[in-house]
Amino acid sequence: MELQCKIQNYEWGKLGLDSTVAKLVVNADPSMTIDPNKSYAELWMGTHPNGPSLIIERDIHLSEYLKNNLDAIGPDVRRKFDVSVPFLLKILSVRKALSIQAHPSKAHAEELHKNFPELYKDPNHKPELAIALTPFEALCGFRPISQIKEYINKLPELKEILSEASVNALEQGAVDDSASLLKDVFQSLMTSEKNTIARALENVMKKLQSEDESTQSKLLYPLLKKLHSDYPGDVGCWAPYFMNYIQLRPGQAIFLGPNLPHAYLSGDCVECMACSDNVVRAGLTPKHIDVPTLINMLDYTSYQPNELLFVPQIEDPNSCIWRPPVPDFAVVKIRVESGDSYNTIVRPSPSIIIIISGKGEACDTEPIPARAGVVIFLKASRQLTLTPSDGEHIEAYQAICNV
């Protein structure tokens, strides 16, 4: 069954047809008009109440259809998640940085929702998987302590806004206490006075712009300049000196488990997550920032960038799967070449499939033209046959429950 899905026009999204979201949507429905000055940030595929998908042929929301068609969910998913699609599949097109943020664990989400329901709207966790469609930049996880120390020592403007006690402790502290030391110095940054932060940023920008290209590169000036132009004076502009700067190639992925600090910076990706809106923000945003909650929940492990890459498993010659350590979702990438035909693997779960490129036919009970941007809902324990047109291919991403 083909779905009509919700576009989110958040301010940080790519504009017009620069956006993969816009390209996919207009390719699936050529009657759509794309405004070149409007941002097309996200495409939501699922049953989330803030952007529910519609079954085109039946003209009803997918969530309504499921209430009367329990077989579509399947017994395994119903036992775990009741009558719901517990994941939200998205396409993101990022023009400027999203907020530095982390997502609470399930138990913490329940606590936050109970105590602050106006800020934390539901009791669910929000693990996320991001798979790059184009070169994709993100900040993710804390850097090794040695790198953070080096940046603090090479940037007196940064050192001046941190408490002397936290910097001294970081310099002299034991390796086995690194998480505690990192927490103290990051808390010192996040609780610094706004004017002090902004003034230090102005000073470091003036100094770095006159340095040679090699020094600018080593001290992350191009990234700092971009963040500062988008969010002038924001404490989050200092985040690259504490967090890993990751550049994903198309097909590479990161998994964002509970409490892992991250921020998407630019590019296009497929994203899948548990159905939740629980975000604790720290900077690079005009939205609510909850510093005390964030400081106390973060994962202060130091990671090397390659440790944060999430590698898929090959399932068969046409598919690979990213299977995170959560039951809510997994994501399958499918690629079918010209002259071939492929039957998707039968899953005990409903699934949502988006065609990313190519053209041909998708058939469950009835054939659907398969072209980039088409989104299909597949019932539990059913199979979809993908057949490219002559000289074409079909590439698709399938979200499933990880049960």
Side-chain angles (χ1 to χ4, degrees):
M1 292 181 285
E2 188 176 351
L3 301 179
Q4 182 183 76
C5 301
K6 171 77 173 176
I7 299 167
Q8 304 286 10
N9 304 101
Y10 303 135
E11 190 271 337
W12 49 259
K14 290 187 180 181
L15 304 179
L17 287 171
D18 284 344
S19 164
T20 293
V21 169
K23 286 176 189 165
L24 289 170
V25 166
V26 78
N27 195 70
D29 179 7
S31 69
M32 280 282 298
T33 301
I34 300 298
D35 182 343
N37 300 310
K38 191 172 184 179
S39 73
Y40 295 83
E42 296 188 354
L43 182 66
W44 285 25
M45 297 164 273
T47 57
H48 195 291
N50 290 353
S53 296
L54 186 80
I55 299 175
I56 293 172
E57 66 190 61
R58 296 170 184 262
D59 197 30
I60 61 168
H61 284 128
L62 177 58
S63 51
E64 288 301 311
Y65 171 82
L66 295 176
K67 289 176 188 174
N68 300 313
N69 294 271
L70 299 183
D71 64 309
I73 295 289
D76 291 357
V77 175
R78 280 176 59 198
R79 270 192 296 274
K80 181 72 181 171
F81 294 106
D82 202 8
V83 182
S84 71
V85 174
F87 57 80
L88 180 61
L89 181 64
K90 296 181 179 181
I91 303 295
L92 269 63
S93 289
V94 181
R95 174 177 54 90
K96 57 188 270 192
L98 282 69
S99 57
I100 295 164
Q101 57 186 253
H103 306 296
S105 66
K106 187 79 168 75
H108 192 198
E110 289 168 358
E111 181 189 328
L112 288 171
H113 176 61
K114 181 181 175 184
N115 294 334
F116 310 103
E118 69 289 352
L119 293 176
Y120 301 101
K121 310 283 188 187
D122 62 73
N124 203 12
H125 64 167
K126 196 188 177 191
E128 297 175 342
L129 174 72
I131 306 163
L133 290 173
T134 63
F136 193 81
E137 298 177 293
L139 298 175
C140 187
F142 284 107
R143 290 177 175 276
I145 289 277
S146 58
Q147 293 180 15
I148 295 170
K149 285 185 193 176
E150 192 175 339
Y151 283 128
I152 290 172
N153 287 321
K154 286 185 175 177
L155 294 167
E157 298 83 0
L158 173 56
K159 195 171 193 172
E160 284 166 13
I161 59 177
L162 302 171
S163 75
E164 191 175 344
S166 71
V167 172
N168 288 342
L170 190 70
E171 289 288 352
Q172 299 159 16
V175 174
D176 58 2
D177 199 26
S178 62
S180 172
L181 298 168
L182 185 47
K183 179 179 178 180
D184 287 348
V185 78
F186 192 67
Q187 181 170 18
S188 172
L189 171 73
M190 295 307 301
T191 53
S192 291
E193 207 271 325
K194 281 186 177 180
N195 288 339
T196 306
I197 291 281
R199 190 166 55 249
L201 280 168
E202 291 289 348
N203 291 341
V204 80
M205 290 290 294
K206 281 177 191 167
K207 182 177 86 174
L208 290 180
Q209 71 184 8
S210 60
E211 294 283 3
D212 62 82
E213 197 172 321
S214 172
T215 303
Q216 288 182 344
S217 178
K218 285 175 186 169
L219 295 177
L220 307 180
Y221 175 67
L223 178 54
L224 179 66
K225 184 180 178 184
K226 183 179 188 308
L227 294 178
H228 193 258
S229 69
D230 289 337
Y231 300 95
D234 191 292
V235 65
C237 295
W238 293 110
Y241 300 112
F242 294 85
M243 294 167 65
N244 286 295
Y245 172 47
I246 292 178
Q247 297 169 288
L248 298 180
R249 298 189 307 275
Q252 289 186 310
I254 48 175
F255 173 66
L256 307 166
N259 307 324
L260 187 71
H262 62 277
Y264 298 155
L265 302 177
S266 73
D268 306 88
C269 73
V270 174
E271 185 182 57
C272 198
M273 63 183 62
C275 251
S276 171
D277 285 326
N278 280 325
V279 179
V280 185
R281 296 180 180 88
L284 302 181
T285 178
K287 294 182 180 179
H288 176 74
I289 292 176
D290 187 348
V291 171
T293 298
L294 188 91
I295 292 298
N296 287 320
M297 69 183 265
L298 284 182
D299 173 1
Y300 288 101
T301 307
S302 286
Y303 293 96
Q304 294 285 352
N306 63 335
E307 293 179 279
L308 295 162
L309 294 179
F310 195 68
V311 180
Q313 303 163 304
I314 302 297
E315 289 198 298
D316 62 31
N318 295 89
S319 71
C320 63
I321 186 167
W322 287 268
R323 205 181 273 283
V326 294
D328 308 70
F329 65 88
V331 177
V332 183
K333 180 182 178 181
I334 299 165
R335 173 94 184 187
V336 193
E337 301 299 341
S338 175
D340 201 359
S341 188
Y342 178 69
N343 296 317
T344 60
I345 294 170
V346 175
R347 316 273 182 186
S349 151
S351 59
I352 292 175
I353 299 164
I354 180 166
I355 311 296
I356 290 293
S357 65
K359 63 173 70 169
E361 184 180 87
C363 191
D364 170 16
T365 52
E366 297 290 330
I368 296 170
R371 59 183 180 274
V374 166
V375 182
I376 296 166
F377 174 76
L378 186 65
K379 291 181 178 183
S381 303
R382 295 281 270 272
Q383 207 167 36
L384 191 70
T385 302
L386 295 170
T387 308
S389 303
D390 287 346
E392 286 284 349
H393 71 278
I394 293 176
E395 187 165 296
Y397 284 85
Q398 176 184 23
I400 61 172
C401 301
N402 195 15
V403 294

